Amino acid sequence: MADKKFAGVNGTVNSAEVAEDFAAAQQFDKVKVGKLGVYFKEGFRIRYLSYQDFDRVFIRVNEVDGKLCCGKSTFQYFRLVFVRSGKEFTDVISEDEKAMDDALAQIKAACPEMAIGFVK
């Protein structure tokens, strides 16, 4: 199973251990959270972020005002944002708030020392 390649922060990751973790990882909409890290599709690649690759993770809520034929409506989408050295370097977008909340909770369970939440 080591022939599966992942796009890591420092290049391609080709490891049997990471591939097995990916296969066993719990799915939350577009994000999979495993024991070794977080996985998500980015273009045609599967991005792998080990827990050592980021310092903090939080959810950003974006609202969009939509004009419809019969009035207005507000739509929300949620971003799981990853931070390294005080800078946001990648995120995953979803319309499923519960899935993003559950993914954040699973990241905290897998890596208890991880900082969770937004800091100014």
Side-chain angles (χ1 to χ4, degrees):
M1 195 162 176
D3 60 333
K4 188 160 192 70
K5 294 181 183 177
F6 301 92
V9 172
N10 298 318
T12 302
V13 177
N14 190 8
S15 162
E17 185 181 20
V18 173
E20 289 170 9
D21 187 54
F22 172 76
Q26 193 169 356
Q27 182 85 39
F28 302 98
D29 195 24
K30 299 175 183 178
V31 178
K32 289 182 90 168
V33 179
K35 293 178 182 171
L36 300 177
V38 180
Y39 308 87
F40 56 91
K41 286 197 82 157
E42 187 177 72
F44 293 111
R45 314 178 291 176
I46 297 174
R47 188 80 187 258
Y48 163 62
L49 302 176
S50 77
Y51 293 120
Q52 290 75 39
D53 291 337
F54 56 98
D55 309 323
R56 187 166 41 91
V57 62
F58 66 93
I59 295 173
R60 175 174 289 138
V61 180
N62 294 99
E63 290 187 349
V64 178
D65 292 326
K67 291 184 180 181
L68 308 171
C69 62
C70 54
K72 294 182 183 180
S73 183
T74 302
F75 301 97
Q76 291 183 332
Y77 60 94
F78 308 90
R79 292 180 182 269
L80 191 62
V81 182
F82 297 91
V83 179
R84 179 180 57 215
S85 302
K87 298 198 185 250
E88 298 174 12
F89 71 99
T90 192
D91 63 6
V92 182
I93 189 170
S94 174
E95 293 178 359
D96 189 347
E97 180 178 16
K98 182 173 177 0
M100 293 294 100
D101 288 341
D102 292 346
L104 195 63
Q106 186 67 26
I107 290 169
K108 185 64 175 175
C111 186
E113 65 275 5
M114 180 65 60
I116 303 291
F118 181 76
V119 177
K120 283 189 177 183

